Amino acid sequence: MEGGDIFIQDFINDLQESPESQIQKCFRGSCILITGGTGFVGKVLIEKLLRTCRDLNTIYLVVRPLNGQNPNERIKEMFISPFFDRMKIENPTYRSQVQVVKGDCFQPNIGVDEAVWNRIASKINAVIHLAAATTTDNHPYCMLHTAVYTNVRATRDLIVMTKRFQNLKAFVYMSSVFANPSILNVYEQFYNSPIPSSTVIQMAETLPDYILNRMTYGLMSEWPDVVTFTKALSEQIIQSAGPELPACVIRPGFAGWMNDLNNLTGCALGSGLGLVRVFHGPSYVNAEIVPVDMLVNLLLVACWDLIGNRSEVVNEEVPKDALNTLIYNYASSNYKPCSWNQLGEMFFKNEKNVSSPNFFWMPFYCVTNSIFIYRIMTFYLHTVPAKVVDFFIRLVGKEPRLNEFYKRVHAAAKHLSSYQQVHVRYHNHNVISLMNKLSPRDKILFDFDMGTLSWDDYFDKYLKGLRVYLMGNPLHIPEPKYNNTLNRLITIHYNFIISICVVIVIYSIFFYH
């Protein structure tokens, strides 16, 4: 894999494991059921387990068929990725520790056959539930039916199934710090939902889509999107399970770098290619980005704490009757705050690391807090060029795509803007307490202290990763080729800006005098 000095070690920064840590001992011989293992957080979790906890028994991955591939084919293809290269070197027998369970969280009982449950139920020691429908559609509200099945009903059904897991010691659920958007001081406790999760599940199972879609705005008036709404409902289900379920809830911010091109990563990639040039915001509000390797470490440490190290926790910020299930608010603002404005500045500062030999325009970006100016600038700098380019693409008999790309970008920007409006404080007493339980060795192997994080270093590697792993480009472009392309695009860019200014001046002269 080309990439010069960029390797997966830059994203998952651990030392060689010797001697064995408390957490490694805890997972020795254990069997872990994981949902959502083919998602980005899931892949990092699997890589971490197989590389760091090599003496575990089995990872059961619940995987659905997709795009003509059966679950085993999908996992085989997943492990081909260079992302797993380091793990394969350190654990060459990894494949014998992974068993694929055919299932689908969209289906009742997460789509797993009864015979399979009977075979593995007594073996499972821990469940890490990551599977979730995401806002991959152009509209954050148009997938409520899918999200309720995948995010809410699946959680309910999986918890019901855990009653058959005689040796279950831990159930870890990944929620979101944005699951309670109307609360400005979010403590590590459950919050009441305005509508019972059972009611929403019943609605999704009985009402046709066109009626459900009409009701969506009313149901989700407090939430920015369907994901955070259904995460809140899933938390309600875990709360109702009571102390019989050895569970904890992890509430992270945006887990990055994410490979979802419809959100933050898509905007960063588009800007580096010279396609995305205007942003609305960013504001002083914290962006709440969470490095995915640290998030995975927190997931594993929380699981370890449930399995064998859980002691009486005293959190005076939370009512005593709410302590049955530990909740961890994991937000970067508690450690190294990074506002949306700082995020944009760091993207721009490191943009050269994303620029590609096939970029479309001179990379630059402009930020405005005015929605009026934003709409004018996107019309001239996004919509107009897209229409022109797509017109010529049609003339040569190819399928136009640029206009559709900008629709997705604008939808993603609108979606992200819903997270830029209010400053929220996320209390993290439980996260700090959990961190203090770690041995010196585990603090190295399973570090989730964002206080040690350098945002400059993070975004440098983030943007290099976009180029190498998502764009498939070498990290270093030959200077002559890069400079010639860039100089040509700079000339076009400034000629275009001058022409717009000339048009505005002529329009002002003839229509206002």
Side-chain angles (χ1 to χ4, degrees):
M1 179 74 181
E2 273 190 295
D5 57 352
I6 183 77
F7 301 100
I8 194 61
Q9 289 94 318
D10 292 318
F11 299 96
I12 305 175
N13 184 24
D14 291 327
L15 302 178
Q16 295 296 321
E17 308 88 293
S18 179
E20 188 178 46
S21 73
Q22 293 179 22
I23 296 176
Q24 287 174 318
K25 290 180 182 178
C26 176
F27 285 116
R28 181 193 297 156
S30 63
C31 296
I32 304 171
L33 178 76
I34 298 176
T35 69
T38 57
F40 187 66
V41 176
K43 291 175 183 176
V44 177
L45 174 65
I46 293 166
E47 195 275 347
K48 179 77 175 189
L49 275 170
L50 292 174
R51 177 172 51 84
T52 309
C53 303
R54 296 192 291 269
D55 290 330
L56 61 81
N57 189 327
T58 306
I59 297 176
Y60 294 101
L61 297 180
V62 180
V63 184
R64 60 174 173 158
L66 185 67
N67 298 329
Q69 290 184 310
N70 64 45
N72 281 293
E73 290 171 339
R74 291 187 64 197
I75 294 303
K76 182 179 179 180
E77 181 180 348
M78 181 183 81
F79 280 122
I80 294 174
S81 169
F83 184 85
F84 295 96
D85 286 350
R86 179 184 174 191
M87 179 273 294
K88 292 175 184 177
I89 295 172
E90 298 184 23
N91 185 8
T93 62
Y94 73 95
R95 197 60 184 88
S96 64
Q97 296 174 291
V98 178
Q99 288 195 27
V100 179
V101 176
K102 182 181 179 181
D104 186 349
C105 286
F106 183 78
Q107 303 297 331
N109 298 321
I110 68 171
V112 177
D113 290 340
E114 185 69 18
V116 176
W117 282 130
N118 291 334
R119 177 170 56 85
I120 68 175
S122 63
K123 301 177 182 178
I124 296 173
N125 307 119
V127 174
I128 302 180
H129 184 31
L130 306 177
T134 58
T135 53
T136 54
D137 212 308
N138 284 343
H139 200 295
Y141 297 115
C142 65
M143 50 178 292
L144 183 61
H145 181 266
T146 300
V148 170
Y149 279 7
T150 306
N151 298 1
V152 186
R153 187 178 68 177
T155 302
R156 181 201 66 183
D157 292 352
L158 185 56
I159 289 175
V160 171
M161 295 307 301
T162 60
K163 295 179 180 178
R164 299 164 58 178
F165 301 168
Q166 302 96 314
N167 296 305
L168 181 71
K169 298 178 181 178
F171 184 100
V172 181
Y173 174 68
M174 190 172 76
S175 182
S176 169
V177 293
F178 309 111
N180 303 284
S182 62
I183 299 171
L184 299 183
N185 276 286
V186 180
Y187 290 91
E188 292 169 311
Q189 68 180 64
F190 291 111
Y191 291 93
N192 294 329
S193 175
I195 182 169
S197 57
S198 57
T199 302
V200 178
I201 293 173
Q202 186 177 18
M203 290 169 58
E205 291 177 333
T206 56
L207 295 177
D209 283 346
Y210 75 92
I211 294 179
L212 196 63
N213 288 341
R214 289 178 182 177
M215 301 174 63
T216 298
Y217 284 99
L219 289 172
M220 297 173 47
S221 58
E222 296 182 14
W223 285 269
D225 54 45
V226 70
V227 174
T228 51
F229 172 63
T230 50
K231 290 288 188 184
L233 295 176
S234 294
E235 285 193 13
Q236 184 186 119
I237 290 173
I238 293 174
Q239 180 184 18
S240 65
E244 292 78 17
L245 180 70
C248 70
V249 176
I250 311 295
R251 291 177 180 159
F254 294 108
W257 54 289
M258 291 296 289
N259 59 347
D260 179 3
L261 296 180
N262 294 282
N263 286 304
L264 183 63
T265 295
C267 292
L269 184 60
S271 179
L273 292 173
L275 288 167
V276 182
R277 306 171 199 122
V278 187
F279 295 91
H280 180 224
S283 66
Y284 66 93
V285 176
N286 290 317
E288 303 300 0
I289 298 173
V290 176
V292 70
D293 56 335
M294 288 188 170
L295 170 58
V296 163
N297 288 342
L298 174 59
L299 287 166
L300 292 175
V301 173
C303 187
W304 159 76
D305 189 51
L306 282 172
I307 290 174
N309 193 56
R310 186 168 183 177
S311 57
E312 189 65 27
V313 176
V314 179
N315 187 347
E316 296 178 355
E317 297 178 332
V318 178
K320 291 183 179 180
D321 60 356
L323 292 176
N324 290 329
T325 301
L326 285 176
I327 297 174
Y328 300 97
N329 289 337
Y330 194 52
S332 57
S333 56
N334 290 319
Y335 306 89
K336 287 286 184 72
C338 178
S339 70
W340 288 101
N341 185 55
Q342 291 172 314
L343 175 66
E345 290 175 354
M346 279 184 275
F347 271 152
F348 185 72
K349 176 181 176 181
N350 293 284
E351 207 68 84
K352 61 181 180 300
N353 295 328
V354 176
S355 298
S356 166
N358 51 4
F359 46 12
F360 177 79
W361 199 270
M362 185 193 84
F364 83 102
Y365 88 119
C366 177
V367 179
T368 175
N369 287 318
S370 168
I371 187 65
F372 176 73
I373 295 176
Y374 171 75
R375 288 172 177 169
I376 291 177
M377 295 186 70
T378 53
F379 177 76
Y380 281 107
L381 296 177
H382 290 175
T383 305
V384 172
K387 296 288 186 183
V388 173
V389 171
D390 280 354
F391 172 76
F392 285 106
I393 289 177
R394 282 195 187 93
L395 290 181
V396 298
K398 295 184 178 180
E399 182 183 358
R401 295 181 178 179
L402 197 55
N403 195 53
E404 187 62 31
F405 168 81
Y406 278 121
K407 287 182 180 179
R408 294 177 63 187
V409 166
H410 295 158
K414 183 178 180 181
H415 178 221
L416 286 173
S417 70
S418 61
Y419 294 92
Q420 300 174 337
Q421 305 305 318
V422 182
H423 182 78
V424 180
R425 181 184 176 189
Y426 300 101
H427 297 261
N428 66 331
H429 179 279
N430 290 340
V431 175
I432 295 173
S433 297
L434 186 63
M435 198 179 303
N436 291 335
K437 292 182 181 182
L438 293 178
S439 67
R441 181 62 183 163
D442 284 325
K443 285 182 179 179
I444 296 174
L445 291 176
F446 300 94
D447 177 34
F448 56 91
D449 182 5
M450 283 189 282
T452 63
L453 187 66
S454 165
W455 284 120
D456 282 331
D457 182 59
Y458 172 81
F459 281 106
D460 178 67
K461 292 172 180 174
Y462 176 101
L463 293 168
K464 286 177 180 177
L466 292 186
R467 166 180 281 187
V468 175
Y469 293 106
L470 288 185
M471 297 168 64
N473 293 148
L475 189 60
H476 301 290
I477 304 172
E479 284 295 325
K481 181 178 180 180
Y482 178 85
N483 289 334
N484 291 339
T485 304
L486 185 61
N487 290 335
R488 184 172 67 252
L489 291 176
I490 289 174
T491 302
I492 296 173
H493 167 73
Y494 283 109
N495 284 334
F496 182 73
I497 296 297
I498 292 171
S499 65
I500 290 178
C501 294
V502 170
V503 170
I504 293 174
V505 170
I506 293 175
Y507 180 86
S508 302
I509 293 173
F510 282 93
F511 287 90
Y512 289 94
H513 294 282

